[in-house]
Amino acid sequence: MKAVKIFSVAIASAGFLLLATAAEVKAVSLKYNTSIGRPANLAGGELPGTPGTLAAPQGVAVQESTGNIFVANGRGIDRIDVFSSSGNYLEGIGGTGSGPGQFDEPAAIAFQPGTGNLYAGDVFNNRINVFDSKGNYLKSVAEGQFGGLIEGRLFFGPSSIVFDKVGNGYVGDFSNDRIIKINPDGEIIGSIGNSGNQLGQFQGPAGIAISPKSGNFVVTDQFNNRVQILNSEAKPIKTFGEAGTKPGQFNQPVDVEVDEFDNIYVMDLINSRVQVFDKDGNFLSEYGKAAAGRPPQLGEQSPYGDPLDLTPGTFNWAAGSDYKDGKLYVGDFFQGRIQVLDVNNTQSTPVPEPDYSLGLAVLGTAVAVAKWRKNQKQKLIESLEKRLGKSLDTEEQLEKPYFSRS
């Protein structure tokens, strides 16, 4: 939703013309639409990996040409599972192993514009696998470039993948606290950031998005509990957020999307919610609540929280995401599903704001009004002098009751 400018004109008591503008305030709300995938029915003897079931969905990507939804299906399933836009299971891509097109924990996924190729992070094999638009393996890139697990962190490897308009890719190197830049052929041509908590530094760059309007980068800085904004040249501009549970605070933000109106959607991982901000980081709204069930513990066989709570809007960690055509796709990490949310952009009451581009017009109008008033005053003085048969020495005499009938 674009902020619509409204012009208003008013005459002040002093006689000057006032010109003001108002910008309609953006309001963004999220509403549950449906779910893609489901957890396996363990009690009924169903195993994770049964077609149509998901475990720890870390990456989500919607294919432009078909509307199909691709999901990184982890925890030993090691596939990219494909669902139709209506949620029907279609096929799986890959399988467990280290050979061509195989995975050992698939992670972030994204489609390259132009080619339609699918890039998929492969955590333990330390690489990105590339497939064509039909799921045929093409090659692997950036092999051996990603750091291993760091004590105190939950994730490692290629943490996010996003492409710019010319096909360059930007991949989160989570443990090395940087973003790797690759050219359209998959060759590394640079990097962004380093380890720390200053502007332009990261501690776990988990999610990356590029604004379709400004070209700015928006990055979730997971263990600094903040979001960073960099310009189109990857120069840091600002950060927003801090650790906490209140609106505008985070507990390990893990992924991020930016829509066509520059609204920012942050997957607030352990707070189990999605928070929405404007392009400057001002809080707009939030959606979701934490499931009562605990996450699975180390050593447990189940990839799911206990108990499951599959009511709409309940998350056991809000994870990987994608935004497409007014819908936000959010991984419900320990509940084996993708929640699809409708994004509603609305307009509220206009709020006045200065518009300095109107300065010359306002000044010109004010000068014209002042000149007109001066001419009218002079005509009034001349008329009074003629009627009274004498000169008026000061303008103050105009305030005296010359029109008395006595």
Side-chain angles (χ1 to χ4, degrees), residues 277-301:
F277 303 83
D278 69 14
K279 64 182 177 63
D280 297 313
N282 298 306
F283 175 82
L284 296 178
S285 63
E286 64 179 314
Y287 177 86
K289 65 177 182 178
R294 62 172 176 79
Q297 305 300 298
L298 288 175
E300 290 185 345
Q301 295 299 312

Side-chain angles (χ1 to χ4, degrees), residues 251-292:
N251 191 348
Q252 297 187 26
V254 73
D255 211 351
V256 64
E257 306 296 330
V258 180
D259 69 15
E260 63 271 30
F261 307 113
D262 257 357
N263 300 316
I264 299 170
Y265 304 83
V266 180
M267 311 316 121
D268 191 2
L269 181 70
I270 299 178
N271 283 330
S272 296
R273 64 184 177 182
V274 181
Q275 295 197 66
V276 188
F277 303 83
D278 69 14
K279 64 182 177 63
D280 297 313
N282 298 306
F283 175 82
L284 296 178
S285 63
E286 64 179 314
Y287 177 86
K289 65 177 182 178

Side-chain angles (χ1 to χ4, degrees), residues 89-315:
Y89 179 78
L90 298 178
E91 63 174 332
I93 299 171
T96 302
S98 58
Q102 294 181 321
F103 292 98
D104 191 353
E105 193 65 25
I109 57 178
F111 288 98
Q112 184 181 43
T115 66
N117 292 340
L118 175 67
Y119 282 59
D122 186 4
V123 174
F124 290 102
N125 287 324
N126 204 310
R127 64 187 182 183
I128 297 171
N129 290 330
V130 185
F131 304 83
D132 69 16
S133 60
K134 297 185 181 300
N136 300 305
Y137 174 77
L138 297 176
K139 60 183 177 181
S140 294
V141 301
E143 295 186 73
Q145 297 299 312
F146 303 98
L149 184 64
I150 293 178
E151 184 177 356
R153 297 190 182 185
L154 301 173
F155 306 108
F156 63 103
S159 55
S160 186
I161 304 171
V162 68
F163 291 93
D164 61 23
K165 293 180 179 178
V166 298
N168 293 318
Y170 300 85
V171 184
D173 183 3
F174 190 79
S175 293
N176 285 328
D177 296 326
R178 63 176 182 166
I179 297 169
I180 296 172
K181 182 178 180 179
I182 58 177
N183 68 17
D185 294 324
E187 300 166 332
I188 295 176
I189 56 174
S191 66
I192 301 167
N194 53 53
S195 186
N197 56 19
Q198 302 300 308
L199 190 64
Q201 296 181 323
F202 305 105
Q203 290 195 38
I208 311 168
I210 298 177
S211 166
K213 289 186 67 177
S214 65
N216 287 346
F217 293 85
V218 183
V219 184
T220 50
D221 191 357
Q222 185 168 339
F223 290 99
N224 279 325
N225 283 299
R226 65 185 183 181
V227 174
Q228 291 209 55
I229 301 177
L230 300 84
N231 68 16
S232 59
E233 302 297 323
K235 303 298 182 184
I237 299 173
K238 67 180 298 182
T239 68
F240 64 90
E242 61 183 1
T245 59
K246 296 178 181 178
Q249 297 179 331
F250 303 111
N251 191 348
Q252 297 187 26
V254 73
D255 211 351
V256 64
E257 306 296 330
V258 180
D259 69 15
E260 63 271 30
F261 307 113
D262 257 357
N263 300 316
I264 299 170
Y265 304 83
V266 180
M267 311 316 121
D268 191 2
L269 181 70
I270 299 178
N271 283 330
S272 296
R273 64 184 177 182
V274 181
Q275 295 197 66
V276 188
F277 303 83
D278 69 14
K279 64 182 177 63
D280 297 313
N282 298 306
F283 175 82
L284 296 178
S285 63
E286 64 179 314
Y287 177 86
K289 65 177 182 178
R294 62 172 176 79
Q297 305 300 298
L298 288 175
E300 290 185 345
Q301 295 299 312
S302 172
Y304 305 122
D306 183 23
L308 290 170
D309 183 353
L310 300 180
T311 56
T314 301
F315 294 91

Side-chain angles (χ1 to χ4, degrees), residues 356-374:
Y356 298 107
S357 65
L358 297 171
L360 292 177
V362 172
L363 178 60
T365 304
V367 169
V369 170
K371 185 176 181 180
W372 176 83
R373 284 179 53 79
K374 182 177 180 180

Side-chain angles (χ1 to χ4, degrees), residues 11-59:
I11 301 293
S13 60
F16 290 98
L17 183 68
L18 302 181
L19 186 58
T21 66
E24 292 198 352
V25 175
K26 292 187 293 186
V28 182
S29 62
L30 301 175
K31 182 180 180 181
Y32 177 85
N33 180 298
T34 189
S35 289
I36 303 295
R38 61 178 179 83
N41 182 5
L42 302 181
E46 190 175 49
L47 296 176
T50 300
T53 67
L54 297 175
Q58 188 168 333

Side-chain angles (χ1 to χ4, degrees), residues 62-104:
V62 180
Q63 190 173 43
E64 185 78 35
S65 59
T66 65
N68 292 339
I69 300 139
F70 290 62
V71 184
N73 206 349
R75 295 299 188 270
I77 299 170
D78 297 324
R79 292 195 309 255
I80 306 297
D81 278 346
V82 187
F83 298 82
S84 71
S85 58
S86 58
N88 296 316
Y89 179 78
L90 298 178
E91 63 174 332
I93 299 171
T96 302
S98 58
Q102 294 181 321
F103 292 98
D104 191 353

